[in-house]
């Protein structure tokens, strides 16, 4: 019976290289998904607050779908469903350019955009309606007022939930293993398959996820402190 021995993994350069590659791919997926999600969230927010009820209905349907269908199911739908319906030329290009990672970014980004948009919406709703009226009185159009007045304040108000959902997005990057993306969980599983050291392999993965999640939370706490400090100086 094998005894507990972390050095059997951490002392092997090949396994360490696999872990480092997994960490790199995890951050590529997480950062790519975050950028896509935040971009879409801002667009969804502008659409929700646009005049008329059509935009609000579209955004409500989008948010309802992505918040009520499991993220894992969405990833599987994109990679094993939508991918197979694409023209052969596009599919071939994706296969040659790491399709697993691309679809992981798309699936996670589209899903997380629903949460980010709701966070930003809550941040905007906490702003006095007089801010928009003042911006329009100063000559701003709707888009200009949203861009320069409302959204910056809304983002500041929404920082705490945005940080929490950013951590959730980082952790959900592990779901990309179901589409074959070579992220950290995939690397840990491959090491466990070779070494048969299940506890040590998943312990290392657990510690790494915990470390990076806490690091993101610490960065978010520092950012929130800087924003609050800047507010105090201006006031």
């Amino acid at each position: 019976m094998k005894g507990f021995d972390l050095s059997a993994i951490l002392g092997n350069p090949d396994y360490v290289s696999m872990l480092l590659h997994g960490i790199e791919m995890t951050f590529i997926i997480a950062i790519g998904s975050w950028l896509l999600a935040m971009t879409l969230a801002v667009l969804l927010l502008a659409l929700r607050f646009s005049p008329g009820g059509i935009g609000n209905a579209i955004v409500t349907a989008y948010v309802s779908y992505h918040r009520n269908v499991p993220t894992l199911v969405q990833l599987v739908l994109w990679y094993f469903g939508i991918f197979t319906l694409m023209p052969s030329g596009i599919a071939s290009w994706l296969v040659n350019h790491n399709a697993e990672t691309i679809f992981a970014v798309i699936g996670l980004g589209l899903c997380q955009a629903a949460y980010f948009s709701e966070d930003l919406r809550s941040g905007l709703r906490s702003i006095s309606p007089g801010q928009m009226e003042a911006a329009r009185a100063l000559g701003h159009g709707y888009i200009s007022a949203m861009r320069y007045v409302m959204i910056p304040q809304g983002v500041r108000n929404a920082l705490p939930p945005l940080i929490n959902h950013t951590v959730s997005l980082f952790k959900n990057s592990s779901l990309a293993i179901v589409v074959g993306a070579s992220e950290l969980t995939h690397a840990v599983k491959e090491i466990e398959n070779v070494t048969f050291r299940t506890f040590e392999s998943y312990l290392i993965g657990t510690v790494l996820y915990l470390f990076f999640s806490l690091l993101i939370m610490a960065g978010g706490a520092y950012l929130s402190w800087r924003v609050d400090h800047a507010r105090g100086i201006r006031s």
Side-chain angles (χ1 to χ4, degrees):
M1 182 176 180
K2 295 181 180 180
F4 178 77
D5 185 13
L6 282 177
S7 63
I9 296 175
L10 298 180
N12 188 311
D14 292 334
Y15 300 151
V16 172
S17 178
M18 291 171 65
L19 288 171
L20 292 176
H21 178 70
I23 293 171
E24 178 187 2
M25 294 305 299
T26 290
F27 274 97
I28 288 175
I29 292 172
I31 293 173
S33 301
W34 190 93
L35 292 173
L36 175 60
M38 186 56 69
T39 301
L40 288 175
V42 173
L43 294 176
L44 290 171
L45 186 68
L47 187 60
R48 184 186 283 275
F49 282 90
S50 62
I54 297 179
N56 183 63
I58 293 173
V59 175
T60 299
Y62 180 93
V63 171
S64 296
Y65 168 77
H66 287 284
R67 294 183 70 175
N68 290 287
V69 177
T71 306
L72 181 61
V73 174
Q74 295 183 42
L75 287 174
V76 170
L77 175 64
W78 270 99
Y79 188 73
F80 295 104
I82 296 175
F83 186 24
T84 61
L85 299 178
M86 290 183 171
S88 58
I90 296 177
S92 298
W93 184 91
L94 289 170
V95 168
N96 294 328
H97 292 82
N98 203 342
E100 297 83 3
T101 299
I102 292 174
F103 280 105
V105 168
I106 293 173
L108 290 172
L110 291 177
C111 180
Q112 198 65 41
Y115 294 91
F116 282 174
S117 68
E118 289 300 284
D119 294 339
L120 293 173
R121 180 192 179 198
S122 297
L124 276 177
R125 292 180 67 180
S126 66
I127 302 172
S128 169
Q131 293 284 328
M132 174 62 83
E133 296 173 3
R136 298 299 293 268
L138 290 173
H140 286 282
Y142 173 79
I143 295 177
S144 177
M146 289 291 292
R147 178 181 177 185
Y148 294 107
V149 179
M150 302 298 288
I151 289 180
Q153 295 184 71
V155 169
R156 288 195 293 268
N157 294 338
L159 269 180
L162 284 174
I163 292 168
N164 289 336
H165 282 135
T166 296
V167 175
S168 296
L169 173 59
F170 173 77
K171 293 186 295 183
N172 284 340
S173 66
S174 62
L175 297 176
I177 189 176
V178 301
V179 298
S182 56
E183 40 71 63
L184 179 56
T185 302
H186 183 275
V188 169
K189 185 175 183 297
E190 288 298 306
I191 293 172
E192 189 272 336
N193 288 340
V194 174
T195 63
F196 299 102
R197 292 188 174 274
T198 304
F199 181 69
E200 291 93 330
S201 300
Y202 286 101
L203 176 62
I204 292 171
T206 299
V207 170
L208 287 173
Y209 276 112
L210 178 62
F211 172 76
F212 289 119
S213 295
L214 291 176
L215 192 63
I216 294 171
M217 292 177 65
Y222 175 73
L223 179 60
S224 295
W225 176 83
R226 286 294 301 270
V227 170
D228 292 339
H229 182 65
R231 281 179 175 176
I233 292 176
R234 284 195 293 267
S235 61

